[in-house]
Amino acid sequence: MLGLGGPYYHDASACLVIDGRIVAFAEEERFSRRKHHKDSRSCAVAAAYCLAEAGITLEEVDEIAIAFNPTWPTPSDTCTDAELIAELLDPALFGHHRPRQVTVIEHHLAHAASAFHPSGFDEAAVLVVDGSGDGVSATLAHGTTSGCKVLRQFPFSQSLGWFYETVAEHLGLGDWTSSGKLMGLAGYGNADRYTLDFLTPTAGGYHLDLSRYGIHPDESVDDQYTDLRYYRRLKAAYAAAYTDLGIPPHLRARTYTGGRVVPDTGYRPEHADLAACVQRLLEQCLTELAREALTLTGTTRLCVAGGVGLNCSANGRLAALHGVEELFVQPAAGDAGCAIGAALEVALRRGDLALPGTVMNTAALGPSFDAGTIRTVLGDYGLAFQDLGEDLPTAVAGHLALGRTAGWFQGRMEAGPRALGRRSILADAQHTGARDHINARVKHRESWRPLAPVLLSDAAPDLIGTSTPHPFMIVARQATDIAREVIPAAVHADGTLRPQTVSPDDTDPYARLLASFAEQTGRPPALLNTSFNHEAEPIVCTPRDAVATFAASPLDALAIGPFLIRKGRP
């Protein structure tokens, strides 16, 4: 089964499922090198990769599923629009094969399936919250061995995702793709300063009423959805609401240094205070939704997906919610992850997937490159390198212990926006200077953006206060006193961190790196970890991507396959 995600001209992706198991997944941006693959919904290169990984052709795929309804609001189970299908899957990449139809999986059902089907749970409450898809912005569902049953939905006119992104845009943090910055800024603010009385958490959910700004919650707006008229009205209403608080729209200055755009990375106290207020309000609304989902389903397990599911701080609040004993958040929670849900959902319907299915305990589902291929690339660039083989983790740990920063390129590329030890930038988490260096000079981004720790699971109780696995760096935890002392660069201003835990494993270079770092320093097996890219590009995918980003940055070393490259020397 081939699932295609990102139907709304961003975050296109593809996922291949065989016999109920995810064989491959990748986002199109990693190949196009255009962040979020904006302004296109072609999934062709990602799909071609997935098929190549399995050694099959498009003609051999039993069923193709898309994660949206092109005829919304008219219900539809299939799409036979040849032009649309060709837009998604360019025939030139598939021997000019043109599928005659694709299966339609409603957008929020695809999100729900992406969270529940690979969770390993036989039953769970499912919460999906995003900007909007197929006219819906939030869904409560019940996941069982029969699949996901929708219990309640909120229309696009009640969108929490759009609410959150408009604040980020109002504060000059960027467009909708930059909403995550607001989460980081919130840690510096006073959440009690402002009252946003147009959004009210209520028992069982929340209520949004922008009547005083010209948008009434009970007006009929379906005809304004697909042409974005409602979205534009909504943005204007929110801008007026935030301006009424005494915070006018902020346009951050940009300067140019050596041909590079340098953003204004400062912020005003009122900006941080609004961010904190909005983050807390979002968490309150999500908490009410989760409580309702748990009550309706009678379960103690919760699955989360949708773009808002990428909010680590909110996920931390949900993980601590009374009644939640187990939490699974899809690591590719945004629209790209819909490819996973769409493929798994059609596999379930065809009888190729039995629930509970295989647990998704890794996001390493993308392309990998053997040592020979990497060596050829390094030779093409004329780079001096050492072939360290099995000794690579020990050597890299030694460089990190000396305060150096390294690019880390190993194995299959990760799914989702978080680096998980396959395409990472690593440093010593004891030194806040390393964090500031990465933000300012490597990533060229705001100094207040948090970086995350990766740690061996043996150290988790001491550093994050729990032995519960955190494989995807998507749930925030309160830092322990020990964490504040030994990995302060990974602790955010609000006292939280968003950890990735790794099981000790002598066959895993990432785990061996952490263990060697602890052995060489006498400190816990923990490092600072962020995605291997600069601010304006997607995470690196290929060896050429890695070399180009390494060369254009002040990183000290690049560990790629078994090879180690140092700036200016082997």
Side-chain angles (χ1 to χ4, degrees):
M1 314 308 150
L2 181 65
L4 306 179
Y8 303 115
Y9 297 97
H10 62 83
D11 294 309
S13 60
C15 175
L16 185 68
V17 169
I18 298 177
D19 296 331
R21 183 175 64 88
I22 301 172
V23 172
F25 167 85
E27 292 108 316
E28 193 77 7
E29 67 160 20
R30 308 295 169 85
F31 305 100
S32 70
R33 307 310 300 158
R34 188 165 71 251
K35 204 163 187 178
H36 294 284
H37 198 58
K38 289 174 66 174
D39 304 319
S40 172
R41 58 185 173 194
S42 170
C43 313
V45 181
Y49 152 69
C50 290
L51 298 176
E53 187 71 30
I56 63 174
T57 66
L58 187 60
E59 292 178 272
E60 295 176 275
V61 173
D62 293 323
E63 191 167 352
I64 303 169
I66 58 175
F68 75 118
N69 176 11
T71 65
W72 186 91
T74 302
S76 178
D77 295 325
T78 60
C79 171
T80 58
D81 184 337
E83 185 176 339
L84 172 59
I85 295 173
E87 181 183 4
L88 296 168
L89 297 170
D90 182 354
L93 291 180
F94 305 100
H96 298 286
H97 174 65
R98 294 174 178 267
R100 294 183 178 180
Q101 73 172 37
V102 295
T103 299
V104 171
I105 303 297
E106 187 270 332
H107 189 70
H108 271 227
L109 177 58
H111 271 310
S114 79
F116 177 68
H117 293 3
S119 68
F121 301 152
D122 58 4
E123 184 180 21
V126 184
L127 175 60
V128 175
V129 183
D130 64 4
S132 177
D134 289 347
V136 178
S137 64
T139 293
L140 310 183
H142 187 190
T144 67
T145 54
S146 298
C148 292
K149 179 183 178 181
V150 172
L151 303 176
R152 186 180 175 193
Q153 293 188 313
F154 290 69
F156 65 89
S157 56
Q158 291 284 306
S159 174
L160 292 175
W162 284 348
F163 157 64
Y164 198 82
E165 73 177 51
T166 59
V167 182
E169 187 168 346
H170 191 81
L171 296 182
L173 299 178
D175 61 13
W176 57 268
T177 64
S178 302
S179 298
K181 295 182 183 181
L182 195 68
M183 178 178 62
L185 184 57
Y188 297 86
N190 173 14
D192 294 321
R193 180 170 179 179
Y194 298 112
T195 299
L196 304 180
D197 56 5
F198 53 79
L199 178 59
T200 308
T202 62
Y206 61 93
H207 183 65
L208 175 65
D209 186 351
L210 291 163
S211 296
R212 86 182 73 158
Y213 301 105
I215 297 183
H216 300 272
D218 56 352
E219 68 174 294
S220 177
V221 291
D222 281 0
D223 63 331
Q224 302 176 29
Y225 178 63
T226 55
D227 63 6
L228 299 181
R229 278 185 294 155
Y230 180 80
Y231 182 65
R232 288 191 288 269
R233 288 179 58 205
L234 188 72
K235 289 175 68 172
Y238 277 127
Y242 307 141
T243 301
D244 280 355
L245 295 173
I247 308 174
H250 183 64
L251 181 63
R252 294 180 182 270
R254 297 290 191 271
T255 57
Y256 294 85
T257 301
R260 178 180 292 277
V261 178
V262 180
D264 172 8
T265 58
Y267 63 87
R268 299 175 184 171
E270 61 268 26
H271 295 168
D273 293 343
L274 179 60
C277 172
V278 167
Q279 178 67 33
R280 183 172 68 180
L281 187 53
L282 174 71
E283 292 176 8
Q284 290 170 339
C285 293
L286 293 177
T287 295
E288 294 300 335
L289 289 173
R291 283 176 176 152
E292 178 74 355
L294 294 169
T295 299
L296 292 174
T297 59
T299 68
T300 58
R301 294 165 171 164
L302 179 65
C303 296
V304 175
V308 176
L310 294 172
N311 191 303
C312 303
S313 299
N315 292 336
R317 177 82 174 266
L318 295 178
L321 184 64
H322 178 72
V324 175
E325 294 185 3
E326 294 181 84
L327 174 70
F328 178 85
V329 183
Q330 168 55 241
D335 276 4
C338 283
I340 297 173
L344 290 173
E345 179 64 17
V346 293
L348 178 69
R349 295 179 183 184
R350 294 176 64 94
D352 293 333
L353 169 65
L355 296 175
T358 303
V359 179
M360 186 178 177
N361 52 22
T362 178
L365 300 169
S368 64
F369 302 86
D370 61 30
T373 300
I374 296 171
R375 182 188 290 271
T376 297
V377 171
L378 300 183
D380 289 346
Y381 282 100
L383 294 172
F385 59 85
Q386 296 172 282
D387 184 346
L388 298 178
E390 294 295 313
D391 294 330
L392 179 81
T394 299
V396 174
H399 288 299
L400 297 177
L402 292 173
R404 296 166 183 157
T405 55
W408 179 262
F409 184 106
Q410 303 291 326
R412 297 184 72 177
M413 183 183 66
E414 305 95 332
R418 308 273 157 76
L420 300 170
R422 304 302 180 115
R423 306 288 189 271
S424 289
I425 290 173
L426 302 171
D428 187 346
Q430 187 176 55
H431 304 296
T432 57
R435 176 200 63 204
D436 297 340
H437 170 72
I438 290 172
N439 272 334
R441 300 194 60 219
V442 178
K443 307 281 277 191
H444 300 284
R445 66 182 194 177
E446 294 83 358
S447 60
W448 40 262
R449 299 271 290 277
L451 299 183
V454 55
L455 53 137
L456 285 181
S457 55
D458 294 350
D462 287 339
L463 299 179
I464 64 175
T466 179
S467 58
T468 300
H470 286 66
F472 299 129
M473 200 192 292
I474 203 167
V475 178
R477 304 288 309 193
Q478 284 293 321
T480 65
D481 290 341
I482 295 175
R484 293 171 186 270
E485 178 182 351
V486 299
I487 55 169
V491 179
H492 194 36
D494 59 2
T496 65
L497 38 73
R498 58 180 198 190
Q500 178 197 6
T501 58
V502 176
S503 298
D505 182 353
D506 289 341
T507 67
D508 178 8
Y510 200 34
R512 289 169 49 220
L513 171 69
L514 291 163
S516 181
F517 180 81
E519 182 178 355
Q520 293 185 50
T521 62
R523 292 190 269 120
L527 290 167
L528 204 61
N529 174 26
T530 188
S531 56
F532 193 171
N533 63 331
H534 59 68
E535 176 76 348
E537 72 170 358
I539 296 175
V540 301
C541 175
T542 69
R544 291 186 185 279
D545 299 335
V547 169
T549 299
F550 171 67
S553 75
L555 289 171
D556 298 301
L558 171 61
I560 181 167
F563 309 114
L564 180 65
I565 306 162
R566 293 286 311 284
K567 289 280 176 67
R569 53 192 179 278

